[in-house]
């Protein structure tokens, strides 16, 4: 892995508040780009936002971040639906103190439940509902193509919540990447450790190439995508490489492709930062990714290492409920506020 470049300054914190109106519809501003999703899924305007929380490896705090972002947004008055999309290791219900649910994604995918509302359960937090992940099938992580398409279509068409938060499994399987790519905000959780950072880069690169695969037919770039996926010397390596190749053939297509791929913008969350240097890892990753791959990335901020976080997990309670004044809780509130700010919501009070 390449060495980090000198970290860029941390982005300013959002003028923070979780209060505000419901998210505006996707597409009502020039900056809104509705995710294309896997082949076969048509674009559609949506009245709420999808947040997907992923990571390159397990044990980095994805479920903790997902659960507490859900709590933060619900406490702000938004309707939130948490979906445990870690199809091989579902445990989001445990982070929320919810007992093993009677209905899970398995019931929707394999047992004829007509809609997701039939498998939603209450979390005890007003405005926050949960769809638990499949727990009773050895092949739960290996969805068939038709099952995945059914779930993706249903998620894209949900209108019961202002925010839909997907807690994804670790790694770079096509299922995980496809759920990540349908999101308006793709959050990538990373620890300030070399192995986690390396795996995070692999995740982002895999997600970008997966997005290329999803767009190749529309732009006639199948051969370019094959080159981008190649490990051969001279293979395509950056967004600019891909666009430059398309521009030689069709300049108008190149402009459209560049706009679409530029919408691929991962948002980093550094978890368990113990030092000031750890807090700068996100900014360093943003700078390095832009330099070496030509794509923008956002640093949403760092969560300080806090004993209250693991104590809350052991008690099966979100830390925002158990210890709302703790450093990690304040960090989670700031990240939630930044997401709302990105959605154009008007803050009304400051988060410390």
């Amino acid at each position: 892995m390449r060495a980090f470049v000198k970290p860029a300054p941390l982005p300013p914190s959002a003028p923070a508040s979780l209060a505000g109106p419901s998210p505006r519809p996707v597409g009502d501003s020039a900056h809104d780009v509705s995710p294309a999703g896997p082949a076969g899924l048509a674009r559609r305007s949506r009245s709420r936002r999808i947040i997907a929380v992923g990571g390159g490896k397990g044990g980095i705090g994805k479920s903790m971040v997902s659960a507490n972002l859900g709590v933060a947004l619900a406490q702000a008055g938004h309707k939130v639906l948490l979906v445990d999309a870690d199809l091989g290791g579902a445990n989001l219900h445990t982070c929320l103190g919810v007992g093993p649910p009677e209905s899970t994604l398995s019931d929707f995918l394999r047992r004829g439940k007509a809609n997701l509302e039939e498998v939603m359960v209450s979390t005890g937090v007003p405005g926050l509902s949960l769809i638990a992940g499949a727990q009773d099938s050895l092949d739960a992580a290996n969805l068939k193509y038709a099952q995945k398409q059914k779930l993706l279509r249903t998620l894209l068409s949900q209108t019961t919540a202002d925010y839909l938060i997907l807690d994804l499994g670790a790694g770079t399987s096509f299922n995980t990447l496809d759920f990540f790519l349908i999101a308006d905000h793709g959050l990538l959780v990373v620890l300030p450790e070399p192995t986690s950072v390396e795996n995070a880069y692999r995740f982002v690169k895999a997600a970008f190439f997966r997005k290329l695969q999803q767009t190749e037919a529309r732009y006639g770039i199948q051969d370019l995508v094959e080159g981008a996926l190649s490990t051969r010397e001279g293979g395509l390596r950056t967004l600019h490489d891909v666009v430059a190749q398309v521009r030689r053939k069709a300049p108008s297509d190149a402009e459209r492709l560049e706009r679409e791929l530029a919408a691929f913008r991962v948002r980093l969350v550094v978890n368990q930062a113990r030092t000031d240097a750890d807090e700068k890892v996100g900014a360093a990753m943003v700078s390095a990714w832009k330099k070496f791959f030509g794509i923008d990335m956002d640093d949403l901020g760092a969560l300080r290492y806090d004993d209250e976080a693991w104590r809350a997990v052991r008690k099966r309670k979100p830390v925002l409920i158990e210890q709302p004044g703790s450093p990690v809780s304040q960090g989670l509130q700031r990240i939630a506020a930044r997401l709302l700010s990105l959605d154009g919501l008007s803050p009304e009070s400051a988060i410390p």
Side-chain angles (χ1 to χ4, degrees):
M1 184 180 68
R2 300 177 189 263
F4 281 150
V5 298
K6 182 179 179 181
L10 285 169
S13 297
S17 169
L18 299 186
S22 296
R24 54 190 165 82
V26 174
D28 66 351
S29 109
H31 301 288
D32 284 328
V33 178
S34 181
L41 291 181
R43 290 184 174 215
R44 67 195 72 188
S45 60
R46 291 176 278 112
S47 59
R48 48 89 197 100
R49 292 294 173 106
I50 297 177
I51 300 171
V53 183
K57 61 184 295 186
I60 59 177
K62 295 187 303 297
S63 294
M64 186 277 290
V65 170
S66 299
N68 285 281
L69 283 181
V71 171
L73 293 172
Q75 288 178 336
H78 299 280
K79 288 185 177 180
V80 183
L81 173 60
L82 279 165
V83 179
D84 195 339
D86 186 349
L87 301 175
N91 60 12
L92 188 57
H93 64 284
T94 304
C95 296
L96 293 161
V98 176
E102 295 181 3
S103 297
T104 69
L105 275 180
S106 289
D107 297 289
F108 173 72
L109 294 170
R110 296 185 172 89
R111 295 178 188 145
K113 295 288 186 181
N115 53 63
L116 286 178
E117 286 79 0
E118 295 183 61
V119 295
M120 288 182 190
V121 297
S122 172
T123 64
V125 178
L128 181 63
S129 301
L130 169 70
I131 296 177
Q135 301 174 335
D136 54 358
S137 176
L138 292 176
D139 63 348
N142 302 309
L143 287 182
K144 296 178 181 178
Y145 178 79
Q147 292 172 327
K148 179 174 69 176
Q149 294 295 95
K150 175 185 177 182
L151 181 55
L152 288 170
R153 285 194 183 94
T154 304
L155 292 174
L156 285 169
S157 63
Q158 278 298 298
T159 58
T160 59
D162 301 320
Y163 278 92
L164 185 65
I165 301 177
L166 310 179
D167 181 25
L168 306 182
T172 56
S173 71
F174 281 173
N175 284 340
T176 297
L177 296 177
D178 287 347
F179 289 127
F180 190 80
L181 290 173
I182 69 168
D184 301 288
H185 302 300
L187 270 60
L188 181 62
V189 180
V190 61
L191 299 182
E193 300 170 356
T195 53
S196 181
V197 170
E198 185 174 358
N199 283 326
Y201 277 127
R202 288 174 179 165
F203 182 95
V204 180
K205 194 170 183 179
F208 176 70
F209 286 153
R210 181 62 172 166
K211 186 170 182 67
L212 273 181
Q213 288 179 315
Q214 293 172 0
T215 61
E216 62 182 8
R218 290 205 303 277
Y219 297 98
I221 57 172
Q222 291 88 337
D223 56 334
L224 297 183
V225 172
E226 183 178 350
L229 296 173
S230 172
T231 58
R232 298 190 306 268
E233 195 66 29
L236 300 176
R237 288 292 175 266
T238 72
L239 166 63
H240 301 305
D241 291 337
V242 176
V243 173
Q245 290 273 23
V246 175
R247 184 170 285 116
R248 292 190 187 101
K249 297 181 178 180
S252 60
D253 284 348
E255 291 178 7
R256 291 190 297 118
L257 176 64
E258 187 170 27
R259 285 196 300 270
E260 184 163 344
L261 295 182
F264 175 80
R265 191 165 180 137
V266 173
R267 310 192 193 283
L268 283 178
V269 174
V270 177
N271 192 25
Q272 298 184 15
R274 296 173 184 266
T275 66
D276 291 344
D278 287 350
E279 291 194 356
K280 297 178 181 178
V281 165
M285 291 182 66
V286 168
S287 180
W289 183 253
K290 175 67 173 179
K291 179 177 180 179
F292 297 125
F293 212 64
I295 300 177
D296 290 316
M297 183 186 286
D298 294 314
D299 176 17
L300 289 187
L303 301 173
R304 295 292 298 202
Y305 179 86
D306 190 343
D307 286 338
E308 295 299 341
W310 63 260
R311 290 193 182 108
V313 171
R314 288 191 178 183
K315 292 180 180 179
R316 301 187 178 190
K317 293 183 179 180
V319 69
L320 271 174
I321 300 293
E322 184 68 9
Q323 292 292 337
S326 64
V328 68
S329 292
Q330 292 175 1
L332 287 159
Q333 291 272 8
R334 284 192 290 269
I335 289 171
R338 293 207 65 191
L339 289 171
L340 289 175
S341 179
L342 287 168
D343 288 339
L345 301 182
S346 301
E348 296 178 1
S349 61
I351 290 178

